[in-house]
Each structure stands twice: as C-alpha cells, then as structure tokens.
Amino acid sequence: MFVTLADVFLTVLYARIGSGLLANRLARVTWIAFRTVAPVFGNHRAGFLSFCGPAVLVMLVALWSSGLTVGAALIMQPSLGSAIRTMADPTPTDFLTALYVAASSVSVINTSEFFP
C-alpha cells in the first residue's frame, strides 16, 4: 500500500516529471505499445496515438486501485475469522476472501457481509 500511495502522491500531488514510482514506467510501456501498433493505422496514425494519454490515465487508476486492494487484502487476511467476521460461521480465512473484503472496503459501495 505504501508504494501505491507514494506513487499517487508523487504523480498527482508532487507532479514533477519523472518523480512517480510506477506511473512513469506504465506510461513509457504504454507509449511504446501504442507507437508499435500505430503504423497499422496508416493515415490515421496520429488519431490512434492521441488515445495513448487517456489509456494511460485509465490504466493508472486501475493500477492504483488494484494496488490498494491487494495491500488492504494483505493487511486484512490475518484478521479474518477473529477481528473480521461474517454473520455465517465459520468465516473463510483464505486470501481470495481477504481480496473480496478488501475490494468491497476500498470501493465506494460496500456490499459485503463482513464486519469488524
């Protein structure tokens, strides 16, 4: 979670070129992929390349949210069954359950049956 939060801070709030931990690498790889595929589009190459920025933005949000979800799952898994329970007994304690609980906690809509 620290790496993801640091990357968000360095990319969004600090906003210096090259200061992000993950965002710069993701943007570079995405640009290389778009530039590699662009010749296929011929005369529409520039139009295709203009979608690289929005694609990077969507992938950054997905990367950051998945990083926070996995980090929260790693933090929550040891507490499953003791501090975090369900209405039904027994509470599953595997990593997939921790990932489900973390995803529902990180998301805006918390619809899981788990409670502290």
Side-chain angles (χ1 to χ4, degrees):
M1 285 185 85
F2 177 75
V3 171
T4 303
L5 292 174
D7 189 51
V8 170
F9 173 78
L10 291 172
T11 303
V12 176
L13 299 176
Y14 190 61
R16 302 276 190 254
I17 293 177
S19 63
L21 302 173
L22 305 171
N24 298 331
R25 289 171 181 83
L26 178 70
R28 190 174 304 120
V29 168
T30 305
W31 175 248
I32 290 170
F34 267 73
R35 201 175 59 199
T36 303
V37 175
V40 173
F41 290 91
N43 292 337
H44 303 288
R45 181 178 186 264
F48 174 73
L49 289 174
S50 69
F51 286 104
C52 184
V56 169
L57 181 63
V58 169
M59 288 191 299
L60 270 177
V61 170
L63 177 71
W64 290 337
S65 63
S66 62
L68 290 175
T69 301
V70 170
L74 290 170
I75 292 170
M76 289 180 183
Q77 186 183 14
S79 300
L80 284 175
S82 58
I84 301 172
R85 289 182 261 148
T86 63
M87 296 287 189
D89 286 319
T91 302
T93 58
D94 58 318
F95 185 71
L96 287 177
T97 303
L99 202 57
Y100 170 72
V101 173
S104 67
S105 296
V106 170
S107 71
V108 176
I109 302 169
N110 186 1
T111 59
S112 72
E113 65 275 0
F114 291 86
F115 62 93

XYZ file of all heavy atoms in Angstrom:
866
model
N 0.824 -1.188 0.000
C 0.000 0.000 0.000
C 0.866 1.249 0.000
O 0.503 2.246 -0.624
C -0.932 0.013 1.207
C -2.102 -0.928 1.084
S -3.259 -0.794 2.447
C -4.270 0.546 1.887
N 2.009 1.186 0.691
C 2.879 2.351 0.757
C 3.397 2.736 -0.623
O 3.426 3.920 -0.967
C 4.050 2.094 1.715
C 5.019 3.231 1.755
C 4.701 4.400 2.436
C 6.228 3.158 1.104
C 5.591 5.465 2.457
C 7.117 4.214 1.117
C 6.802 5.368 1.800
N 3.798 1.750 -1.418
C 4.318 2.036 -2.761
C 3.236 2.675 -3.629
O 3.488 3.650 -4.337
C 4.865 0.744 -3.414
C 5.209 0.969 -4.869
C 6.073 0.232 -2.660
N 2.025 2.154 -3.545
C 0.926 2.710 -4.332
C 0.600 4.132 -3.891
O 0.443 5.031 -4.720
C -0.319 1.819 -4.215
O 0.015 0.500 -4.631
C -1.451 2.336 -5.058
N 0.488 4.348 -2.594
C 0.192 5.693 -2.092
C 1.318 6.677 -2.393
O 1.068 7.844 -2.717
C -0.105 5.646 -0.600
C -1.409 4.939 -0.216
C -1.520 4.822 1.296
C -2.599 5.675 -0.791
N 2.563 6.211 -2.312
C 3.697 7.073 -2.663
C 3.658 7.435 -4.141
O 3.947 8.575 -4.520
C 5.010 6.383 -2.311
N 3.285 6.478 -4.987
C 3.199 6.752 -6.412
C 2.085 7.758 -6.712
O 2.264 8.658 -7.530
C 2.975 5.462 -7.199
C 3.092 5.677 -8.691
O 4.104 6.259 -9.125
O 2.167 5.275 -9.426
N 0.950 7.611 -6.048
C -0.141 8.575 -6.227
C 0.322 9.962 -5.794
O 0.100 10.956 -6.494
C -1.402 8.151 -5.439
C -2.444 9.254 -5.433
C -1.978 6.865 -6.014
N 0.982 10.045 -4.655
C 1.471 11.337 -4.166
C 2.465 11.958 -5.133
O 2.350 13.127 -5.500
C 2.116 11.181 -2.789
C 2.782 12.439 -2.308
C 2.025 13.477 -1.798
C 4.153 12.591 -2.393
C 2.631 14.657 -1.371
C 4.768 13.757 -1.975
C 4.006 14.791 -1.457
N 3.454 11.169 -5.557
C 4.491 11.708 -6.431
C 3.960 12.059 -7.819
O 4.446 12.992 -8.456
C 5.648 10.714 -6.548
C 6.467 10.518 -5.280
C 7.456 9.385 -5.457
C 7.176 11.805 -4.894
N 2.959 11.337 -8.285
C 2.427 11.580 -9.618
C 1.410 12.716 -9.630
O 1.439 13.569 -10.510
C 1.772 10.299 -10.170
O 2.751 9.254 -10.162
C 1.272 10.492 -11.579
N 0.513 12.725 -8.655
C -0.586 13.691 -8.679
C -0.258 14.961 -7.893
O -0.443 16.070 -8.384
C -1.879 13.046 -8.129
C -3.003 14.051 -8.059
C -2.263 11.856 -8.978
N 0.232 14.821 -6.697
C 0.420 15.986 -5.836
C 1.782 16.661 -6.009
O 1.875 17.882 -5.985
C 0.207 15.596 -4.381
C -1.200 15.064 -4.066
C -1.281 14.613 -2.632
C -2.240 16.116 -4.360
N 2.823 15.875 -6.162
C 4.151 16.445 -6.328
C 4.357 16.904 -7.770
O 4.923 17.958 -8.008
C 5.207 15.422 -5.909
C 6.592 15.969 -5.822
C 6.899 16.996 -4.935
C 7.603 15.470 -6.627
C 8.184 17.502 -4.850
C 8.887 15.964 -6.552
C 9.173 16.980 -5.664
O 10.430 17.479 -5.584
N 3.917 16.126 -8.706
C 3.824 16.464 -10.134
C 5.099 17.036 -10.733
O 5.096 18.083 -11.364
C 2.647 17.392 -10.376
N 6.193 16.353 -10.563
C 7.426 16.681 -11.267
C 7.651 15.586 -12.306
O 7.350 14.420 -12.067
C 8.634 16.716 -10.323
C 8.491 17.678 -9.186
C 8.910 19.072 -9.643
N 8.998 19.964 -8.514
C 8.107 20.902 -8.254
N 7.075 21.067 -9.028
N 8.250 21.686 -7.224
N 8.191 15.945 -13.435
C 8.408 14.954 -14.488
C 9.385 13.895 -13.993
O 10.467 14.204 -13.509
C 8.944 15.623 -15.760
C 7.879 16.529 -16.351
C 9.376 14.582 -16.775
C 8.331 17.298 -17.562
N 8.970 12.646 -14.086
C 9.834 11.533 -13.706
C 9.855 11.221 -12.230
O 10.705 10.462 -11.782
N 8.957 11.772 -11.437
C 9.018 11.550 -9.994
C 8.193 10.346 -9.538
O 8.375 9.874 -8.430
C 8.572 12.801 -9.240
O 7.225 13.089 -9.541
N 7.282 9.842 -10.344
C 6.447 8.708 -9.951
C 7.236 7.414 -9.881
O 8.231 7.233 -10.582
N 6.795 6.500 -9.051
C 7.457 5.207 -8.927
C 6.977 4.224 -9.993
O 7.778 3.545 -10.627
C 7.200 4.615 -7.537
C 7.639 5.471 -6.354
C 7.170 4.859 -5.051
C 9.139 5.645 -6.371
N 5.680 4.115 -10.167
C 5.091 3.172 -11.110
C 4.516 3.864 -12.347
O 4.523 3.299 -13.439
C 3.971 2.381 -10.422
C 4.334 1.643 -9.145
C 3.090 1.094 -8.478
C 5.325 0.541 -9.438
N 4.009 5.063 -12.179
C 3.296 5.761 -13.254
C 4.188 6.009 -14.464
O 3.748 5.840 -15.606
C 2.735 7.076 -12.736
N 5.425 6.393 -14.256
C 6.323 6.666 -15.380
C 6.606 5.421 -16.197
O 6.628 5.464 -17.422
C 7.633 7.265 -14.886
C 7.422 8.580 -14.202
O 6.487 9.291 -14.513
N 8.277 8.892 -13.250
N 6.812 4.320 -15.506
C 7.078 3.063 -16.212
C 5.856 2.607 -17.003
O 5.973 2.160 -18.139
C 7.515 1.996 -15.220
C 8.902 2.249 -14.665
C 9.232 1.294 -13.520
N 10.541 1.546 -12.973
C 10.818 2.471 -12.065
N 9.876 3.255 -11.618
N 12.037 2.631 -11.604
N 4.689 2.730 -16.391
C 3.455 2.355 -17.078
C 3.232 3.236 -18.301
O 2.886 2.743 -19.377
C 2.260 2.461 -16.134
C 0.906 2.141 -16.753
C 0.813 0.659 -17.068
C -0.208 2.567 -15.839
N 3.449 4.532 -18.174
C 3.268 5.453 -19.298
C 4.266 5.147 -20.420
O 3.906 5.158 -21.601
C 3.417 6.886 -18.823
N 5.492 4.849 -20.060
C 6.514 4.545 -21.065
C 6.180 3.269 -21.820
O 6.252 3.221 -23.048
C 7.885 4.426 -20.393
C 9.031 4.343 -21.387
C 10.403 4.377 -20.712
N 10.552 5.566 -19.884
C 10.781 5.535 -18.568
N 10.884 4.386 -17.938
N 10.932 6.645 -17.880
N 5.790 2.225 -21.103
C 5.434 0.954 -21.742
C 4.201 1.121 -22.632
O 4.142 0.587 -23.745
C 5.211 -0.144 -20.674
C 4.560 -1.372 -21.254
C 6.535 -0.505 -20.018
N 3.226 1.890 -22.163
C 2.023 2.127 -22.958
C 2.359 2.910 -24.226
O 1.854 2.589 -25.306
C 0.972 2.884 -22.127
O 0.728 2.148 -20.933
C -0.322 3.046 -22.884
N 3.201 3.924 -24.113
C 3.579 4.697 -25.285
C 4.319 3.825 -26.300
O 4.075 3.917 -27.508
C 4.424 5.902 -24.893
C 4.927 6.660 -26.079
C 6.208 6.768 -26.508
C 4.140 7.403 -27.014
N 6.282 7.530 -27.638
C 5.009 7.932 -27.983
C 2.783 7.669 -27.130
C 4.579 8.713 -29.046
C 2.346 8.443 -28.185
C 3.244 8.953 -29.131
N 5.215 2.964 -25.834
C 5.935 2.063 -26.737
C 4.953 1.121 -27.436
O 5.065 0.877 -28.649
C 7.020 1.279 -25.968
C 8.149 2.228 -25.556
C 7.564 0.126 -26.798
C 9.150 1.638 -24.590
N 3.972 0.608 -26.691
C 2.977 -0.286 -27.300
C 2.141 0.456 -28.337
O 1.911 -0.062 -29.440
C 2.082 -0.878 -26.219
N 1.700 1.666 -28.035
C 0.917 2.446 -28.990
C 1.750 2.792 -30.222
O 1.259 2.723 -31.350
C 0.395 3.729 -28.334
C -0.970 3.591 -27.744
C -1.175 2.875 -26.565
C -2.066 4.165 -28.356
C -2.429 2.750 -26.008
C -3.335 4.046 -27.816
C -3.514 3.331 -26.641
N 2.999 3.158 -30.004
C 3.868 3.528 -31.121
C 4.176 2.326 -32.003
O 4.315 2.460 -33.220
C 5.163 4.135 -30.579
C 5.894 4.979 -31.577
C 7.073 5.647 -30.974
N 7.970 4.631 -30.441
C 8.916 4.855 -29.546
N 9.070 6.071 -29.066
N 9.695 3.904 -29.114
N 4.251 1.147 -31.413
C 4.498 -0.068 -32.181
C 3.298 -0.433 -33.046
O 3.451 -0.872 -34.182
C 4.838 -1.236 -31.226
O 5.971 -0.848 -30.433
C 5.161 -2.498 -31.990
N 2.098 -0.254 -32.517
C 0.875 -0.620 -33.229
C 0.443 0.465 -34.218
O -0.251 0.180 -35.200
C -0.250 -0.922 -32.212
C -1.572 -1.184 -32.894
C 0.136 -2.094 -31.328
N 0.864 1.699 -34.021
C 0.395 2.842 -34.814
C 0.583 2.708 -36.322
O -0.296 3.130 -37.077
C 1.051 4.123 -34.314
N 1.677 2.148 -36.844
C 1.819 2.046 -38.297
C 0.710 1.248 -38.992
O 0.443 1.461 -40.170
C 3.172 1.369 -38.487
C 3.940 1.710 -37.272
C 2.920 1.749 -36.173
N 0.042 0.392 -38.256
C -1.055 -0.381 -38.826
C -2.188 0.548 -39.266
O -2.902 0.246 -40.225
C -1.564 -1.415 -37.787
C -2.809 -2.116 -38.276
C -0.475 -2.400 -37.450
N -2.351 1.690 -38.621
C -3.452 2.598 -38.893
C -3.185 3.560 -40.053
O -4.063 4.350 -40.409
C -3.811 3.375 -37.621
C -4.455 2.515 -36.589
C -3.688 1.869 -35.624
C -5.821 2.312 -36.589
C -4.279 1.065 -34.676
C -6.416 1.508 -35.652
C -5.647 0.879 -34.694
N -1.994 3.516 -40.627
C -1.683 4.304 -41.817
C -1.910 5.788 -41.626
O -1.261 6.438 -40.807
N -2.842 6.372 -42.407
C -3.115 7.812 -42.351
C -3.751 8.248 -41.032
O -3.725 9.422 -40.692
C -4.036 8.228 -43.503
C -3.347 8.103 -44.840
O -2.113 8.118 -44.908
N -4.117 7.962 -45.899
N -4.319 7.313 -40.312
C -4.982 7.633 -39.035
C -4.058 7.390 -37.832
O -4.519 7.274 -36.709
C -6.257 6.800 -38.889
C -7.211 7.011 -40.016
N -7.935 8.177 -40.160
C -7.546 6.217 -41.059
C -8.677 8.088 -41.240
N -8.461 6.903 -41.807
N -2.757 7.327 -38.114
C -1.755 7.058 -37.074
C -1.823 8.088 -35.950
O -1.821 7.747 -34.780
C -0.379 7.049 -37.711
C 0.743 6.773 -36.762
C 2.076 6.741 -37.536
N 3.143 6.343 -36.663
C 3.940 7.208 -36.045
N 3.784 8.500 -36.212
N 4.899 6.759 -35.251
N -1.894 9.354 -36.295
C -1.920 10.427 -35.283
C -3.174 10.346 -34.426
O -3.119 10.562 -33.208
C -1.834 11.790 -35.959
N -4.294 10.029 -35.043
C -5.534 9.872 -34.276
C -5.443 8.719 -33.297
O -5.919 8.820 -32.157
N -4.817 7.626 -33.737
C -4.644 6.480 -32.844
C -3.723 6.832 -31.680
O -4.007 6.504 -30.526
C -4.086 5.284 -33.623
C -3.736 4.121 -32.760
C -4.727 3.331 -32.187
C -2.411 3.810 -32.487
C -4.399 2.257 -31.366
C -2.082 2.751 -31.677
C -3.078 1.968 -31.115
N -2.626 7.522 -31.976
C -1.678 7.880 -30.923
C -2.279 8.865 -29.923
O -1.842 8.923 -28.776
C -0.402 8.468 -31.533
C 0.498 7.477 -32.261
C 1.642 8.208 -32.945
C 1.021 6.410 -31.322
N -3.284 9.620 -30.324
C -3.901 10.564 -29.406
C -4.686 9.867 -28.294
O -5.020 10.493 -27.292
C -4.819 11.523 -30.166
O -5.952 10.840 -30.652
N -4.972 8.599 -28.466
C -5.668 7.843 -27.419
C -4.714 7.289 -26.357
O -5.155 6.689 -25.382
C -6.474 6.692 -28.019
C -7.712 7.143 -28.716
C -7.766 7.186 -30.095
C -8.821 7.548 -27.988
C -8.901 7.617 -30.744
C -9.967 7.982 -28.622
C -10.008 8.018 -30.012
N -3.420 7.489 -26.531
C -2.452 6.958 -25.565
C -2.607 7.620 -24.199
O -2.583 6.940 -23.171
C -1.035 7.146 -26.090
S 0.214 6.413 -25.020
N -2.779 8.930 -24.149
C -2.937 9.639 -22.874
C -4.133 9.163 -22.075
O -3.992 8.817 -20.890
N -5.333 9.117 -22.682
C -6.480 8.585 -21.941
C -6.300 7.127 -21.518
O -6.741 6.740 -20.435
C -7.642 8.736 -22.925
C -7.234 9.842 -23.820
C -5.745 9.731 -23.948
N -5.629 6.338 -22.360
C -5.389 4.937 -21.995
C -4.476 4.840 -20.778
O -4.707 4.030 -19.875
C -4.785 4.176 -23.181
N -3.457 5.679 -20.732
C -2.556 5.703 -19.573
C -3.323 6.108 -18.324
O -3.142 5.506 -17.252
C -1.354 6.643 -19.824
C -0.577 6.890 -18.543
C -0.452 6.078 -20.889
N -4.191 7.079 -18.431
C -4.975 7.531 -17.282
C -5.853 6.409 -16.735
O -5.886 6.160 -15.521
C -5.823 8.738 -17.665
C -6.675 9.330 -16.549
C -5.790 9.864 -15.440
C -7.561 10.419 -17.107
N -6.549 5.708 -17.621
C -7.413 4.600 -17.184
C -6.577 3.490 -16.558
O -6.939 2.930 -15.509
C -8.250 4.077 -18.374
C -8.944 2.774 -18.028
C -9.251 5.121 -18.814
N -5.440 3.176 -17.169
C -4.591 2.116 -16.612
C -3.970 2.524 -15.280
O -3.786 1.678 -14.402
C -3.519 1.716 -17.621
C -4.089 0.948 -18.785
S -2.885 0.170 -19.842
C -1.963 1.546 -20.435
N -3.658 3.802 -15.102
C -3.134 4.263 -13.811
C -4.162 4.126 -12.703
O -3.844 3.659 -11.600
C -2.697 5.722 -13.909
C -1.265 5.974 -14.306
C -1.011 7.464 -14.441
C -0.313 5.362 -13.332
N -5.391 4.510 -12.984
C -6.446 4.363 -11.973
C -6.644 2.887 -11.640
O -6.786 2.515 -10.465
C -7.759 5.023 -12.456
C -8.916 4.679 -11.539
C -7.578 6.522 -12.546
N -6.618 2.024 -12.642
C -6.755 0.576 -12.401
C -5.568 0.038 -11.608
O -5.744 -0.773 -10.689
C -6.891 -0.164 -13.728
N -4.352 0.490 -11.949
C -3.159 0.045 -11.226
C -3.201 0.491 -9.771
O -2.926 -0.307 -8.863
C -1.904 0.585 -11.911
C -0.571 0.276 -11.231
C -0.241 -1.201 -11.374
C 0.528 1.140 -11.797
N -3.554 1.748 -9.547
C -3.596 2.257 -8.180
C -4.687 1.584 -7.366
O -4.472 1.222 -6.214
C -3.785 3.761 -8.179
C -2.595 4.530 -8.667
C -1.295 4.113 -8.688
C -2.596 5.850 -9.201
N -0.492 5.099 -9.203
C -1.257 6.169 -9.529
C -3.584 6.782 -9.445
C -0.893 7.403 -10.077
C -3.222 8.015 -9.992
C -1.889 8.312 -10.294
N -5.858 1.396 -7.927
C -6.937 0.757 -7.157
C -6.632 -0.704 -6.889
O -6.907 -1.209 -5.799
C -8.279 0.916 -7.870
O -8.258 0.263 -9.114
N -6.034 -1.404 -7.845
C -5.680 -2.809 -7.583
C -4.536 -2.903 -6.583
O -4.509 -3.806 -5.746
C -5.338 -3.529 -8.881
O -4.219 -2.940 -9.495
N -3.602 -1.972 -6.625
C -2.521 -1.968 -5.636
C -3.032 -1.734 -4.232
O -2.607 -2.396 -3.273
N -3.955 -0.802 -4.081
C -4.553 -0.552 -2.766
C -5.393 -1.738 -2.302
O -5.405 -2.076 -1.115
C -5.403 0.717 -2.801
C -4.640 2.024 -2.942
C -5.603 3.185 -3.082
C -3.704 2.229 -1.770
N -6.079 -2.390 -3.228
C -6.900 -3.546 -2.869
C -6.038 -4.714 -2.407
O -6.332 -5.341 -1.389
C -7.778 -3.963 -4.064
O -8.608 -2.860 -4.430
C -8.628 -5.162 -3.728
N -4.977 -5.006 -3.145
C -4.090 -6.111 -2.744
C -3.396 -5.785 -1.426
O -3.267 -6.650 -0.548
C -3.067 -6.414 -3.861
C -1.988 -7.364 -3.378
C -3.767 -7.003 -5.078
N -2.971 -4.544 -1.251
C -2.353 -4.155 0.019
C -3.309 -4.289 1.189
O -2.943 -4.784 2.257
N -4.547 -3.854 0.999
C -5.544 -3.998 2.063
C -5.841 -5.464 2.341
O -6.045 -5.853 3.497
C -6.823 -3.260 1.679
N -5.859 -6.291 1.297
C -6.096 -7.726 1.496
C -4.967 -8.361 2.310
O -5.220 -9.202 3.185
C -6.240 -8.431 0.154
N -3.732 -7.954 2.045
C -2.606 -8.493 2.815
C -2.670 -8.059 4.274
O -2.258 -8.798 5.172
C -1.285 -8.040 2.183
C -0.952 -8.675 0.837
C 0.248 -7.982 0.203
C -0.702 -10.165 0.991
N -3.188 -6.867 4.517
C -3.338 -6.393 5.894
C -4.503 -7.084 6.591
O -4.430 -7.433 7.772
C -3.517 -4.859 5.909
C -2.219 -4.194 5.467
C -3.946 -4.360 7.278
C -2.336 -2.710 5.203
N -5.601 -7.324 5.866
C -6.819 -7.886 6.464
C -6.789 -9.399 6.650
O -7.486 -9.919 7.519
C -8.032 -7.534 5.606
C -8.418 -6.105 5.642
S -9.848 -5.853 4.591
C -10.065 -4.108 4.728
N -6.008 -10.108 5.841
C -6.073 -11.575 5.900
C -5.774 -12.160 7.276
O -6.484 -13.058 7.726
C -5.170 -12.204 4.859
C -5.359 -13.708 4.817
C -4.438 -14.408 3.859
O -3.474 -13.831 3.392
N -4.739 -15.658 3.588
N -4.771 -11.686 8.012
C -4.544 -12.274 9.335
C -5.706 -12.057 10.312
O -5.864 -12.806 11.277
C -3.285 -11.565 9.840
C -2.603 -11.064 8.624
C -3.696 -10.769 7.648
N -6.533 -11.056 10.063
C -7.646 -10.757 10.965
C -8.937 -11.475 10.594
O -9.913 -11.390 11.350
C -7.910 -9.254 10.968
O -6.770 -8.571 11.400
N -8.966 -12.149 9.454
C -10.186 -12.859 9.060
C -10.473 -13.988 10.042
O -9.601 -14.764 10.401
C -10.049 -13.436 7.647
C -10.164 -12.444 6.501
C -9.890 -13.151 5.175
C -11.525 -11.793 6.468
N -11.685 -14.066 10.474
C -12.090 -15.111 11.413
C -12.037 -14.668 12.857
O -12.750 -15.198 13.699
N -11.189 -13.687 13.169
C -11.132 -13.206 14.554
C -11.672 -11.778 14.650
O -12.708 -11.544 15.249
C -9.696 -13.292 15.085
O -8.824 -12.535 14.270
N -10.986 -10.830 14.052
C -11.435 -9.440 14.122
C -12.420 -9.088 13.011
O -13.223 -8.192 13.157
C -10.232 -8.498 14.058
N -12.353 -9.793 11.899
C -13.274 -9.579 10.782
C -14.054 -10.869 10.586
O -13.480 -11.915 10.308
C -12.508 -9.216 9.492
C -11.676 -7.960 9.695
C -13.476 -9.041 8.322
C -10.750 -7.625 8.553
N -15.368 -10.772 10.750
C -16.214 -11.970 10.668
C -17.411 -11.738 9.755
O -17.698 -10.624 9.366
C -16.715 -12.344 12.056
C -15.613 -12.904 12.926
C -16.129 -13.304 14.261
N -15.798 -12.185 15.159
C -16.524 -11.822 16.182
N -17.621 -12.455 16.481
N -16.158 -10.820 16.937
N -18.117 -12.827 9.479
C -19.379 -12.753 8.746
C -20.496 -13.133 9.692
O -20.261 -13.599 10.807
C -19.406 -13.724 7.549
O -19.321 -15.052 8.035
C -18.287 -13.451 6.589
N -21.716 -12.956 9.224
C -22.869 -13.395 10.016
C -22.911 -14.924 10.093
O -23.334 -15.491 11.078
C -24.170 -12.889 9.392
C -24.270 -11.399 9.388
S -24.567 -10.824 11.048
C -24.905 -9.123 10.742
N -22.476 -15.562 9.016
C -22.468 -17.026 8.975
C -21.145 -17.538 9.524
O -20.096 -16.967 9.295
C -22.651 -17.506 7.545
N -21.206 -18.621 10.259
C -19.983 -19.245 10.776
C -19.678 -20.470 9.957
O -20.578 -21.148 9.493
C -20.151 -19.625 12.248
C -20.104 -18.424 13.151
O -19.261 -17.547 12.899
O -20.917 -18.363 14.092
N -18.497 -20.866 9.747
C -17.236 -20.190 10.070
C -16.877 -19.180 8.981
O -17.294 -19.299 7.847
C -16.234 -21.323 10.110
C -16.729 -22.309 9.121
C -18.240 -22.211 9.185
N -16.068 -18.223 9.348
C -15.614 -17.205 8.405
C -14.427 -17.752 7.627
O -13.470 -18.230 8.222
C -15.182 -15.935 9.163
O -16.292 -15.468 9.922
C -14.727 -14.860 8.208
N -14.483 -17.703 6.275
C -13.330 -18.164 5.495
C -12.109 -17.287 5.757
O -12.238 -16.075 5.962
C -13.790 -18.036 4.044
C -15.198 -17.593 4.068
C -15.573 -17.249 5.458
N -10.935 -17.884 5.744
C -9.712 -17.141 6.054
C -8.695 -17.173 4.911
O -7.542 -16.820 5.124
C -9.052 -17.708 7.322
O -8.767 -19.082 7.114
C -9.945 -17.531 8.531
N -9.101 -17.572 3.717
C -8.153 -17.649 2.608
C -7.913 -16.266 1.993
O -8.601 -15.294 2.302
C -8.661 -18.623 1.542
C -10.027 -18.237 1.010
O -10.894 -17.842 1.816
O -10.225 -18.315 -0.197
N -6.914 -16.179 1.102
C -6.536 -14.899 0.518
C -7.612 -14.360 -0.425
O -7.791 -13.147 -0.508
C -5.196 -15.004 -0.215
C -4.720 -13.679 -0.738
C -4.259 -12.703 0.132
C -4.753 -13.395 -2.091
C -3.841 -11.469 -0.333
C -4.338 -12.166 -2.564
C -3.871 -11.202 -1.685
N -8.309 -15.221 -1.134
C -9.369 -14.749 -2.025
C -10.484 -14.062 -1.246
O -11.044 -13.060 -1.701
C -9.923 -15.896 -2.858
C -8.997 -16.397 -3.969
C -9.604 -17.586 -4.677
C -8.686 -15.287 -4.941
N -10.798 -14.577 -0.066
C -11.795 -13.916 0.783
C -11.269 -12.567 1.251
O -12.009 -11.578 1.275
C -12.146 -14.805 1.983
O -12.603 -16.064 1.501
C -13.199 -14.167 2.855
N -9.990 -12.519 1.619
C -9.385 -11.246 2.029
C -9.399 -10.245 0.880
O -9.663 -9.059 1.079
C -7.954 -11.467 2.509
N -9.172 -10.721 -0.336
C -9.223 -9.854 -1.508
C -10.639 -9.333 -1.742
O -10.832 -8.159 -2.064
C -8.721 -10.623 -2.729
C -8.204 -9.844 -3.906
C -7.065 -8.935 -3.495
C -7.747 -10.786 -4.987
N -11.629 -10.180 -1.542
C -13.030 -9.773 -1.680
C -13.405 -8.717 -0.633
O -14.029 -7.704 -0.952
C -13.936 -10.995 -1.552
C -15.396 -10.675 -1.451
C -16.105 -10.214 -2.554
C -16.080 -10.811 -0.249
C -17.454 -9.912 -2.467
C -17.424 -10.511 -0.148
C -18.111 -10.061 -1.262
O -19.433 -9.762 -1.166
N -12.999 -8.944 0.611
C -13.293 -7.996 1.689
C -12.589 -6.670 1.425
O -13.173 -5.593 1.588
C -12.878 -8.575 3.059
C -13.010 -7.545 4.155
C -13.684 -9.810 3.377
N -11.340 -6.728 0.985
C -10.581 -5.507 0.701
C -11.186 -4.744 -0.475
O -11.298 -3.518 -0.427
C -9.130 -5.858 0.413
N -11.585 -5.459 -1.517
C -12.173 -4.795 -2.682
C -13.487 -4.114 -2.316
O -13.768 -3.006 -2.769
C -12.388 -5.793 -3.816
N -14.280 -4.765 -1.483
C -15.535 -4.129 -1.089
C -15.290 -2.970 -0.131
O -16.074 -2.018 -0.100
C -16.484 -5.150 -0.460
O -15.982 -5.611 0.768
N -14.213 -3.005 0.616
C -13.884 -1.895 1.512
C -13.285 -0.712 0.763
O -13.559 0.438 1.096
C -12.900 -2.353 2.582
O -13.489 -3.323 3.403
N -12.464 -0.979 -0.237
C -11.820 0.081 -0.999
C -12.802 0.733 -1.964
O -12.715 1.925 -2.230
C -10.581 -0.471 -1.758
C -10.042 0.533 -2.748
C -9.505 -0.854 -0.766
N -13.753 -0.038 -2.447
C -14.714 0.517 -3.400
C -15.680 1.480 -2.709
O -15.791 1.523 -1.488
C -15.503 -0.598 -4.088
O -16.392 -1.195 -3.169
N -16.388 2.226 -3.497
C -17.331 3.203 -2.954
C -18.544 2.503 -2.344
O -19.082 2.921 -1.326
C -17.778 4.181 -4.067
C -18.823 5.137 -3.557
C -16.579 4.926 -4.607
N -18.949 1.410 -2.952
C -20.136 0.685 -2.499
C -19.689 -0.548 -1.728
O -19.139 -1.476 -2.293
C -21.015 0.263 -3.693
C -21.410 1.489 -4.490
C -22.225 -0.504 -3.214
C -22.049 1.187 -5.805
N -19.927 -0.582 -0.449
C -19.528 -1.712 0.398
C -20.742 -2.615 0.549
O -21.657 -2.333 1.320
C -19.040 -1.219 1.746
C -18.486 -2.340 2.593
O -18.450 -3.499 2.180
N -18.063 -2.001 3.788
N -20.755 -3.735 -0.177
C -21.905 -4.629 -0.160
C -21.579 -5.981 0.450
O -22.376 -6.906 0.333
C -22.436 -4.852 -1.583
O -21.383 -5.412 -2.374
C -22.899 -3.550 -2.189
N -20.439 -6.134 1.075
C -20.071 -7.450 1.601
C -20.774 -7.703 2.946
O -21.243 -6.795 3.617
C -18.562 -7.568 1.770
O -18.117 -6.791 2.863
N -20.792 -8.960 3.328
C -21.409 -9.352 4.579
C -20.406 -9.438 5.723
O -20.709 -9.932 6.800
C -22.130 -10.698 4.392
C -21.205 -11.848 4.074
C -20.871 -11.975 2.582
O -21.339 -11.179 1.766
O -20.098 -12.877 2.246
N -19.193 -8.934 5.483
C -18.153 -8.952 6.500
C -18.239 -7.698 7.355
O -18.556 -6.618 6.865
C -16.776 -9.051 5.857
C -16.521 -10.387 5.214
C -16.914 -10.643 3.929
C -15.890 -11.383 5.931
C -16.691 -11.867 3.345
C -15.649 -12.625 5.361
C -16.048 -12.863 4.060
N -17.927 -7.848 8.638
C -17.963 -6.710 9.541
C -16.862 -6.868 10.576
O -16.428 -7.971 10.875
C -19.344 -6.587 10.222
C -19.697 -7.771 11.063
C -19.407 -7.792 12.424
C -20.329 -8.880 10.500
C -19.728 -8.889 13.192
C -20.640 -9.977 11.284
C -20.353 -9.987 12.623
N -16.388 -5.748 11.137
C -15.328 -5.822 12.162
C -15.885 -6.281 13.482
O -17.041 -6.092 13.793
C -14.799 -4.398 12.258
C -15.828 -3.534 11.645
C -16.667 -4.390 10.746
